Amino acid sequence: MRISIFCSIVMGALLLGAAGCKKLDLGPSYQDTDLTFWENPDAAEQILNNCYAGMYSDDYYFFNESLSDNSFNSSSVNGGAVRSIAAGAYDGRTSRIAGEWSYHFGGIRNVNNLLANIDRVPNLDGSLKARYLAEARFIRAFHYFHLVNWYGDVPLIKHEISYDESFQIARTAKAEVLSFILTELDEVTATLPLNSEYGDSDKGRITKGAAAALKAKVLLYESKWSDAAEVLDEFMKGTYGVYTLFPSFSGIFQPENENNSEVILNMEFVPVQRTQSMQRFFIPFTEGTLITGMAPSQSLVDDFIMTNGKGIRETGSGYNENTPYVNRDPRLEATIIHDGSSFVTKKGETVTIRTAPGTGDNAIDKADASQTGYYFRKYYDRTADGNNNSGLNLILIRYADVLLMYAEAKTMMGQMDEDTWNKTIKALRQRAGFTDPAALNFSNYSGLGTPGMTDLVRRERRTELALESQRIFDIRRWKIAETVMNGNLYGMKVGNSHVVVDRRVFDASKHYLWPVPQADIEMNNNLLPNNAGW
């Protein structure tokens, strides 16, 4: 079972950062509603479930891929104009820039509203109240983690603020916000249950494991390798709950395996009641019944290694340009659909997808089809309805991410050894289906040194977590965006060359932080100065 998602909203809660905000007419009907709402014994649960529902956006989750070098977006609208952002053509008025700010501050507002009013709920069990507060504070920390990564310094709002205060508040230094996030996560970890302590009706709620994993991610993003490794080591020992790699890589993302042993934190969806329809943008055109809005890049395809563990351009890899998908990392086929891929339709029919020019409606030369010649397979839900509305959960953190973070932290400290390798990279490759000892044994990689092992771990992270909203944050924290996000973005090879589908621009002097939205600055000059270059 899933968390029940309620639609009740406290109408008077003020959204800091909402573009075009106007003074609200707070009449008696609103005041009566607010005064009586918290007398409902279920009020706390309803508002907390609203906080869950607003923790992250399915639109952002998927179209973040097109902010990175993983995919191409054919529309200037999708994801809040991510194609324009990837091309460097954006400012504080761009819809995603303004939307991300208001989205997260809206979520923070909802959490602060719950924290301020939970004591008014009658007969709320003390232990349940403590858990609710811990869950809500985690969600607020999650929002702030995204805000500081996009905008740097942001207003730190720990409690409900008045309408007038929302137009006076200033930005808080990123370091102070990060300190707040880490303190919050430490405190809520002590209260949150282990994953094994939730009953079936509460599967999907926030756990100790989720708080510890997010803390590790915050530390990793700040290059605090030793601190991150310490948390991750305890995580892998089972201190924060028992998590294991699910036996099937492709099975992780199937509806019948939701909330499996690998999942640490989800965006929860429920068939019919609460769905997301994003797969119509990235599955084969004949199945999506919509213009293909997001298509994998050749760069992503090329990063999937050979079954012998070598990159396609390494000597001895065995890669053949005439049969480019043969003897590749099994995760390639589980993640991406290419010319000649087998595909099972929602009707249960097995078909061959052709994307080469002149081969049908999914071909690269068709206006509404993929312009790269590739489609995403991961997250394809055969149980979605005729309009591709799916109740499939979207995974925000899974155990594979924990292993990859640990591998990265140990590598950056120069401590990647056989034991660490076996627990992380080898385990992930074995689960994926690698059998060649050349790809599995540490002895074949021990001479790479820290730079070479860093490249290996980063490539492993890219291919394991493709289409999971990770790559954009990775290339920004690694400070490689100006390298991978400048120049042409390519699709499949047609004739003697790869198709050019887009032109990317990333200015390292300004694009590592987004600008504060212009509409918010116009309402509140205390948000100035803006980020460098804006």
Side-chain angles (χ1 to χ4, degrees):
M1 297 179 68
R2 315 273 192 88
I3 299 172
S4 299
I5 303 297
F6 292 85
C7 296
S8 58
I9 298 175
V10 178
M11 294 182 293
L14 299 173
L15 177 56
L16 176 66
C21 182
K22 297 182 291 184
K23 186 172 178 63
L24 301 179
D25 181 11
L26 305 182
S29 60
Y30 157 70
Q31 293 171 356
D32 291 343
T33 301
D34 187 45
L35 289 171
T36 59
F37 174 80
W38 292 102
E39 296 174 3
N40 175 3
D42 296 327
E45 182 182 16
Q46 290 182 27
I47 297 303
L48 179 59
N49 285 338
N50 273 345
C51 294
Y52 269 97
M55 188 160 59
Y56 205 57
S57 160
D58 55 328
D59 185 65
Y60 294 171
Y61 183 88
F62 283 110
F63 281 105
N64 278 351
E65 294 297 293
S66 293
L67 286 173
S68 80
D69 53 343
N70 273 2
S71 81
F72 164 72
N73 179 35
S74 62
S75 167
S76 60
V77 177
N78 291 343
V82 295
R83 185 175 183 182
S84 297
I85 297 172
Y90 67 98
D91 58 23
R93 296 179 177 83
T94 303
S95 56
R96 175 64 185 272
I97 308 304
E100 183 100 25
W101 176 279
S102 62
Y103 184 91
H104 291 298
F105 277 114
I108 291 164
R109 170 209 62 191
N110 287 337
V111 169
N112 287 340
N113 180 256
L114 174 62
L115 301 185
N117 291 286
I118 195 169
D119 286 337
R120 297 166 59 186
V121 179
N123 304 316
L124 183 60
D125 176 78
S127 61
L128 188 60
K129 173 187 171 183
R131 197 196 83 195
Y132 282 174
L133 290 172
E135 291 174 72
R137 289 168 67 188
F138 171 94
I139 293 171
R140 183 173 60 182
F142 185 85
H143 284 298
Y144 269 117
F145 176 59
H146 282 267
L147 283 167
V148 295
N149 278 296
W150 289 123
Y151 303 97
D153 301 346
V154 294
L156 179 57
I157 307 171
K158 303 177 184 179
H159 53 79
E160 280 197 306
I161 60 175
S162 70
Y163 179 73
D164 289 336
E165 286 175 312
S166 70
F167 295 103
Q168 300 169 7
I169 196 163
R171 298 163 74 191
T172 304
K174 178 182 177 180
E176 184 177 339
V177 180
L178 286 170
S179 178
F180 171 75
I181 293 170
L182 291 170
T183 299
E184 287 287 278
L185 293 174
D186 280 341
E187 292 182 3
V188 303
T189 298
T191 302
L192 289 166
L194 297 168
N195 57 342
S196 59
E197 294 176 326
Y198 277 121
D200 286 345
S201 62
D202 284 320
K203 290 294 184 184
R205 288 197 178 275
I206 293 161
T207 61
K208 287 184 189 296
L214 182 58
K215 178 183 178 180
K217 193 175 285 284
V218 173
L219 293 169
L220 194 83
Y221 277 31
E222 294 305 302
S223 302
K224 295 182 178 180
W225 312 119
S226 179
D227 292 340
E230 183 178 347
V231 176
L232 293 163
D233 186 59
E234 288 298 315
F235 196 108
M236 294 161 65
K237 290 176 181 176
T239 301
Y240 305 110
V242 177
Y243 299 89
T244 60
L245 293 177
F246 190 70
S248 164
F249 175 78
S250 60
I252 300 168
F253 310 98
Q254 297 303 311
E256 61 270 22
N257 300 319
E258 284 186 327
N259 294 307
N260 60 67
S261 63
E262 188 162 342
V263 176
I264 299 171
L265 181 66
N266 265 335
M267 260 196 291
E268 295 278 323
F269 291 89
V270 185
V272 182
Q273 294 176 322
R274 182 174 186 247
T275 60
Q276 45 90 6
S277 58
M278 300 305 295
Q279 73 176 26
R280 60 188 177 143
F281 290 108
F282 60 76
I283 61 176
F285 172 71
T286 53
E287 297 299 314
T289 65
L290 190 73
I291 296 173
T292 302
M294 185 173 65
S297 67
Q298 187 65 48
S299 169
L300 173 58
V301 172
D302 286 349
D303 251 2
F304 286 88
I305 59 177
M306 304 296 289
T307 53
N308 62 11
K310 291 182 178 292
I312 64 172
R313 295 179 181 87
E314 287 185 64
T315 302
S317 71
Y319 177 72
N320 186 335
E321 284 193 350
N322 296 318
T323 55
Y325 315 115
V326 175
N327 295 326
R328 300 291 294 277
D329 180 339
R331 288 170 293 193
L332 172 59
E333 203 69 42
T335 303
I336 292 173
I337 298 166
H338 55 76
D339 185 48
S341 285
S342 178
F343 183 80
V344 180
T345 70
K346 285 189 290 185
K347 295 179 180 179
E349 301 169 344
T350 300
V351 298
T352 298
I353 302 298
R354 298 305 310 275
T355 66
T359 56
D361 289 339
N362 293 314
I364 193 171
D365 56 346
K366 289 290 186 177
D368 294 338
S370 167
Q371 294 184 39
T372 69
Y374 299 107
Y375 298 90
F376 280 110
R377 189 193 301 272
K378 186 186 280 188
Y379 274 120
Y380 169 55
D381 177 10
R382 285 182 52 212
T383 68
D385 66 20
N387 292 318
N388 281 299
N389 296 311
S390 168
L392 184 59
N393 292 343
L394 304 180
I395 303 171
L396 296 170
I397 309 176
R398 57 185 176 96
Y399 190 56
D401 194 359
V402 166
L403 299 184
L404 288 164
M405 287 194 289
Y406 187 68
E408 180 178 342
K410 297 291 277 187
T411 296
M412 297 307 294
M413 292 189 292
Q415 297 176 6
M416 173 59 84
D417 55 18
E418 187 169 8
D419 179 63
T420 301
W421 172 274
N422 289 343
K423 290 189 294 189
T424 58
I425 306 302
K426 181 178 180 178
L428 289 167
R429 289 185 177 182
Q430 284 180 319
R431 189 270 296 277
F434 283 87
T435 58
D436 190 333
L440 298 175
N441 294 341
F442 178 67
S443 58
N444 296 313
Y445 302 95
S446 57
L448 287 176
T450 297
M453 187 60 72
T454 298
D455 289 342
L456 184 151
V457 171
R458 289 179 177 183
R459 181 173 59 193
E460 198 77 17
R461 184 172 178 84
R462 184 184 190 185
T463 52
E464 173 75 26
L465 300 176
L467 199 63
E468 297 181 52
S469 200
Q470 298 294 322
R471 179 67 174 174
I472 179 57
F473 300 107
D474 287 342
I475 64 175
R476 291 163 70 91
R477 68 186 177 88
W478 292 331
K479 294 296 186 288
I480 63 170
E482 65 265 37
T483 300
V484 303
M485 289 296 291
N486 269 316
N488 292 333
L489 186 78
Y490 294 95
M492 69 180 290
K493 190 173 184 180
V494 176
N496 295 322
S497 60
H498 289 275
V499 175
V500 177
V501 295
D502 205 14
R503 179 78 179 174
R504 265 57 188 300
V505 174
F506 190 95
D507 181 350
S509 69
K510 63 186 293 188
H511 288 159
Y512 275 111
L513 288 177
W514 284 352
V516 176
Q518 183 61 35
D520 294 273
I521 291 174
E522 291 172 358
M523 292 186 291
N524 179 10
N525 283 332
N526 291 320
L527 296 173
L528 293 172
N530 212 328
N531 290 322
W534 299 106

